[in-house]
């Protein structure tokens, strides 16, 4: 395991795009692009909210989830961030991770809770944003839907249900609607460190296995459909929150982690970092 970049507030939503790693330095209110040598630059600023999930429209414009304001933002070619869609009429809690189809359809997890404000979590949903910005419910009855994956053919969506400790799959119709909800893998703790295994950010490899960031278990692990774990990296004392397979051959596992997940802690200490290690099976699909 090597360090690509450190001194971050809180890295989230990693995406391998156009030969580089993109991620949200969430509590620094910016989107960052870096190569694997750590040469980083700020690509967008969202100074009024915490940015999270990232994606791109077919014409290359960047989409960014603004969590608390429940908006999907779009970066115009000359740089400014504008509103692409308003999810607030449907969203229950903070909106978080996102995946975007090649036609521009976005799937965004509604966590069912204001994450940093506390309060009771409610059963929530994955929201679907059409390319024209119209918003609808993609799947309801979801338990804190977090990381989202699209398979290479974009016919299957996999969602990390953090509060249900499982990966859930859907069929994706050509019009973007979701059906045939099913369990992709039930997740169990690896040790007594945590009583449950809540998945956070996830990514897919060419054998259909999912790499899962487990912030309670302080690990990143690879799970096959059905639940068998084949590989696991202990990240203690770091808290891993997301991962993606990147690099030229998509054979590098890139991990977002910090010493804590609480906003007031990470903004004071700046312990966020990007770590990397080699994976035996390359990544496919999105992210």
């Amino acid at each position: 395991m090597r360090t690509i970049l450190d001194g971050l507030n809180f890295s989230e939503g990693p995406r391998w795009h156009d030969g580089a790693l993109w991620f949200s330095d969430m509590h620094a209110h910016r989107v960052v692009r870096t190569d694997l040598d750590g040469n980083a630059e700020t690509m967008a600023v969202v100074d009024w909210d915490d940015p999270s999930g990232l994606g791109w429209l077919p014409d290359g414009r960047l989409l960014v989830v603004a969590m608390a304001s429940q908006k999907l933002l779009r970066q115009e070619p000359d740089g400014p961030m504008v509103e692409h869609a308003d999810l607030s009429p449907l969203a229950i809690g903070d909106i978080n991770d996102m995946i975007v189809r090649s036609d521009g359809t976005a799937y965004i997890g509604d966590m069912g809770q204001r994450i940093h404000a506390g309060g009771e979590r409610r059963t929530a949903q994955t929201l679907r944003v059409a390319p024209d910005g119209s918003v609808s419910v993609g799947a309801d009855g979801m338990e804190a839907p977090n990381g989202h994956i699209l398979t290479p053919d974009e016919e299957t969506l996999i969602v990390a249900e953090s509060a249900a400790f499982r990966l859930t799959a859907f069929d994706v119709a050509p019009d973007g609607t979701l059906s045939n909800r099913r369990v992709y893998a039930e997740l169990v703790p690896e040790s007594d460190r945590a009583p449950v295994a809540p998945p956070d950010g996830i990514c897919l490899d060419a054998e259909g296995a999912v790499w899962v960031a487990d912030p309670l278990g302080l690990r990143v692990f690879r799970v096959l459909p059905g639940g068998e774990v084949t590989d696991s990296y202990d990240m203690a004392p770091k808290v891993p929150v997301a991962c993606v397979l990147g690099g030229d051959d998509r054979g590098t596992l890139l991990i977002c982690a910090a010493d804590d997940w609480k906003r007031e802690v990470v903004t004071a200490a700046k312990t966020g970092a990007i770590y990397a290690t080699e994976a035996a099976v390359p990544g496919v699909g999105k992210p």
Side-chain angles (χ1 to χ4, degrees):
M1 195 76 66
R2 64 189 186 276
T3 302
I4 300 295
L5 199 62
D6 59 12
L8 305 168
N9 276 13
F10 191 73
S11 55
E12 253 283 22
R15 302 288 182 260
W16 186 257
H17 175 73
D18 196 21
L21 176 69
W22 295 63
F23 64 91
S24 292
D25 191 1
M26 181 182 286
H27 303 315
H29 311 292
R30 63 181 185 142
V31 176
V32 180
R33 180 185 187 274
T34 185
D35 63 19
L36 296 188
D37 293 321
N39 299 304
E41 57 181 321
T42 297
M43 304 303 293
V45 174
V46 184
D47 54 11
W48 63 93
D49 205 340
D50 290 337
S52 185
L54 306 176
W56 287 265
L57 291 170
D59 62 9
R61 285 178 294 174
L62 173 68
L63 296 178
V64 181
V65 169
M67 297 183 69
S69 56
Q70 301 170 321
K71 309 274 189 178
L72 180 58
L73 307 177
R74 183 182 72 243
Q75 188 177 42
E76 294 299 85
D78 54 349
M81 304 299 294
V82 301
E83 182 179 306
H84 182 71
D86 182 2
L87 285 70
S88 62
L90 292 178
I92 296 168
D94 288 343
I95 58 176
N96 189 17
D97 212 336
M98 171 179 69
I99 207 72
V100 181
R101 284 204 321 178
S102 57
D103 70 349
T105 301
Y107 300 94
I108 302 172
D110 170 7
M111 297 297 287
Q113 182 183 36
R114 292 298 191 173
I115 296 170
H116 298 286
E120 183 179 355
R121 182 189 61 80
R122 296 165 57 192
T123 298
Q125 56 211 332
T126 284
L127 297 170
R128 177 167 60 100
V129 180
D132 65 1
S134 58
V135 183
S136 60
V137 176
D140 58 11
M142 301 288 282
E143 301 294 341
N146 206 329
H148 287 61
I149 287 170
L150 280 169
T151 54
D153 59 10
E154 300 192 342
E155 293 180 358
T156 302
L157 178 74
I158 303 169
V159 182
E161 288 193 83
S162 294
F165 324 122
R166 67 184 174 223
L167 305 177
T168 300
F170 298 88
D171 292 341
V172 183
D175 67 356
T177 56
L178 305 178
S179 64
N180 189 25
R181 183 188 309 224
R182 57 200 181 273
V183 174
Y184 196 82
E186 298 280 3
L187 307 179
V188 298
E190 187 174 54
S191 69
D192 294 336
R193 181 180 284 158
V196 292
D200 198 329
I202 55 177
C203 63
L204 184 70
D205 73 20
E207 293 182 353
V210 176
W211 282 98
V212 178
D214 175 6
L216 283 190
L218 307 183
R219 61 174 176 153
V220 176
F221 65 95
R222 180 179 183 266
V223 61
L224 296 171
E228 179 187 353
V229 174
T230 66
D231 302 87
S232 182
Y233 291 104
D234 188 339
M235 300 291 294
K238 293 291 184 180
V239 179
V241 294
C243 54
V244 69
L245 287 158
D248 292 340
D249 58 359
R250 295 200 64 186
T252 301
L253 182 66
L254 298 155
I255 302 163
C256 295
D259 282 2
D260 207 307
W261 65 270
K262 292 184 282 297
R263 177 191 285 157
E264 64 275 12
V265 176
V266 298
T267 52
K270 291 183 170 49
T271 61
I274 305 289
Y275 299 97
T277 190
E278 303 314 306
V281 182
V284 295
K286 297 177 180 180

